[in-house]
Amino acid sequence: MKNVLITTFLVVTSLSCSGQLNVKELSKTYNVTTKKECDNNNGYWYNNKCWANFEDEGISKKDIDRVAKEQFKLIKNTKIKINGKNYPIIFFMPEEDGNELFLITVFKEGDNEKTLLQIAENVSIFNDKNFETHGLIFNGNLVKLSEEESPILEDLYNNPKAIGNINVIVNDIEELDVSFKGNLNDVTSDSTYDISFTTNEAIMGAGDSTIEIKDNEAHINGTLGTLTFIQLKDVIKNHPNIKTLVLGNISGSVNDEVNMHTGRLVREHGFTTKVLSNSVIASGGVDLFCAGKERIVNKGAKIGVHSWGAGAYTATDIPKDHPAHQYQIEFFTMCMGKEDGPEYYFYTLDSASFDDIHWMSDNEIKKRKVATKFIN
């Protein structure tokens, strides 16, 4: 379990309820020839085909500001209650690995970050049933640990601050409305932790990114999400002189729909994106980097790509003309052009499975035009 746990924190992936459809159901089309006929069958018209079981979860450009503000309000109001006191949750994510489920909650107690990890076997948070988990509390934000710091993660896992059981109550899985309640015992004293909180779709897509202004550049670190979009809007408004975004340590994105709009902001405002020789960016972090009008890669930077997954299927399981690919194709076409963009997107899908990472070689970074400038 220990090795699986370490891998879970190093590879951030998103699972959605729509993923409970199997590939055959997802790929089904109706035998009609017009959009009107498709609409009459409650299908989705794309690439001159009527797809029977596709639900469009994309966010339009005109709606993104409203959606981000609504999500941000929910995020700020989401708290974890411990012994009667409320603490802000800064990260929440369920991760499934084989028959094991990990629920990761990072919260802030004063200036200190702490992590609540819940583990359950032979259960899925998407099965719409209540269940019990084994809970552990650690000091520190386990999600921020990099690959090189995995021994620290292993040590923390073996030395938790508190342990116990927490019940999971699934209120509305469509809205990802899930409640948690239980008691944990301090491992060094007789103290107990009476814990309760409720999560929602907004907090799952928040991310925990930070943007810091240094030397006329904006440095981005953490997991990308709704917060990143809000933070970048703030940079554009209050620091109009900033034209370079430096991506440091970014494990990925927990809200791809919003992350693509964050990338659109990067491109529309003409930002240059840059990774340093010690930068480590993966998954949605690479997507954001690719949005730069100019993209500078310093030799030594680690750039990781992979496929995406949605529960019962992965991106490579479905046809290339399926509408599930449409927004990523549109995004990378914006980033790299009509030919190179889609080609690069499908290359990332073939590079590694959704629960693994392929670290691009220097030659791949140049060949795939991820970098417009490569510095040795």
Side-chain angles (χ1 to χ4, degrees):
M1 182 183 296
K2 190 161 50 183
N3 291 334
V4 173
L5 176 61
I6 291 171
T7 303
T8 296
F9 281 109
L10 298 182
V11 181
V12 177
T13 60
S14 298
L15 302 175
S16 69
C17 301
S18 61
Q20 299 311 296
L21 290 173
N22 61 41
V23 175
K24 186 177 180 180
E25 292 170 327
L26 195 70
S27 302
K28 180 183 176 182
T29 58
Y30 292 123
N31 188 24
V32 299
T33 57
T34 67
K35 183 179 184 302
K36 185 176 180 180
E37 290 176 300
C38 186
D39 291 341
N40 290 338
N41 282 277
N42 294 317
Y44 188 88
W45 186 254
Y46 179 72
N47 275 338
N48 293 318
K49 292 182 180 180
C50 185
W51 303 90
N53 295 310
F54 178 75
E55 183 177 349
D56 191 350
E57 297 179 353
I59 305 171
S60 69
K61 181 177 178 178
K62 69 180 179 63
D63 289 334
I64 182 61
D65 286 329
R66 174 186 58 79
V67 170
K69 286 178 182 177
E70 290 174 354
Q71 290 182 358
F72 187 57
K73 184 177 180 180
L74 282 171
I75 291 164
K76 288 197 299 181
N77 292 332
T78 303
K79 312 285 186 183
I80 182 170
K81 182 179 284 187
I82 302 177
N83 294 336
K85 292 185 179 180
N86 289 319
Y87 302 97
I89 294 176
I90 57 177
F91 184 88
F92 174 81
M93 178 57 61
E95 291 286 345
E96 295 185 2
D97 194 296
N99 68 335
E100 291 185 305
L101 170 68
F102 301 96
L103 298 166
I104 308 157
T105 307
V106 181
F107 61 96
K108 202 160 186 179
E109 187 177 303
D111 294 329
N112 300 316
E113 293 181 346
K114 296 187 176 183
T115 304
L116 168 64
L117 174 67
Q118 297 168 248
I119 305 169
E121 294 187 3
N122 300 313
V123 68
S124 169
I125 198 170
F126 301 119
N127 65 7
D128 205 15
K129 294 179 181 178
N130 302 341
F131 55 94
E132 187 176 75
T133 62
H134 179 62
L136 307 92
I137 287 183
F138 308 93
N139 287 322
N141 185 339
L142 271 63
V143 180
K144 287 183 178 179
L145 293 178
S146 67
E147 185 175 3
E148 289 75 15
E149 295 172 305
S150 58
I152 301 174
L153 176 58
E154 187 173 345
D155 182 63
L156 287 171
Y157 177 74
N158 288 322
N159 297 283
K161 181 177 176 62
I163 58 176
N165 294 319
I166 296 178
N167 292 316
V168 179
I169 302 97
V170 180
N171 303 316
D172 185 347
I173 199 58
E174 292 296 326
E175 298 294 329
L176 298 174
D177 183 344
V178 183
S179 297
F180 304 86
K181 188 173 181 59
N183 288 279
L184 275 62
N185 298 311
D186 193 301
V187 297
T188 60
S189 71
D190 294 331
S191 301
T192 60
Y193 294 78
D194 181 23
I195 292 176
S196 63
F197 63 103
T198 299
T199 62
N200 51 61
E201 189 173 16
I203 195 67
M204 286 183 62
D208 63 353
S209 62
T210 60
I211 298 184
E212 184 181 1
I213 306 300
K214 294 191 296 187
D215 300 326
N216 223 31
E217 296 176 331
H219 290 247
I220 306 177
N221 288 279
T223 304
L224 307 177
T226 306
L227 291 180
T228 321
F229 181 85
I230 299 291
Q231 290 162 349
L232 186 58
K233 293 274 287 189
D234 180 75
V235 170
I236 293 168
K237 179 180 178 180
N238 297 315
H239 302 276
N241 59 312
I242 298 295
K243 294 299 178 184
T244 300
L245 304 178
V246 180
L247 282 67
N249 195 326
I250 300 176
S251 59
S253 162
V254 289
N255 193 333
D256 288 341
E257 290 79 15
V258 172
N259 192 48
M260 282 187 280
H261 282 286
T262 308
R264 178 182 54 77
L265 289 179
V266 170
R267 176 52 64 98
E268 287 181 352
H269 287 82
F271 283 106
T272 292
T273 51
K274 180 166 71 172
V275 285
L276 308 178
S277 59
N278 62 345
S279 292
V280 181
I281 63 171
S283 192
V286 183
D287 296 354
L288 188 63
F289 176 79
C290 288
K293 188 174 182 181
E294 300 294 334
R295 303 181 292 276
I296 302 171
V297 175
N298 282 274
K299 185 177 178 63
K302 297 183 70 173
I303 297 177
V305 294
H306 64 169
S307 180
W308 52 263
Y313 62 88
T314 63
T316 53
D317 293 330
I318 58 180
K320 287 188 175 182
D321 62 347
H322 193 280
H325 297 297
Q326 63 181 311
Y327 293 111
Q328 293 278 17
I329 291 174
E330 181 182 337
F331 177 82
F332 286 110
T333 298
M334 175 195 75
C335 296
M336 298 172 170
K338 201 168 185 178
E339 292 185 7
D340 294 328
E343 184 179 326
Y344 169 77
Y345 167 62
F346 287 110
Y347 152 78
T348 66
L349 303 187
D350 292 329
S351 66
S353 62
F354 78 93
D355 56 355
D356 197 3
I357 284 287
H358 169 68
W359 299 105
M360 298 180 71
S361 67
D362 292 349
N363 286 337
E364 285 177 309
I365 291 169
K366 297 171 187 176
K367 178 183 176 181
R368 297 293 174 180
K369 300 183 181 179
V370 173
T372 59
K373 183 178 181 181
F374 191 94
I375 301 175
N376 287 306

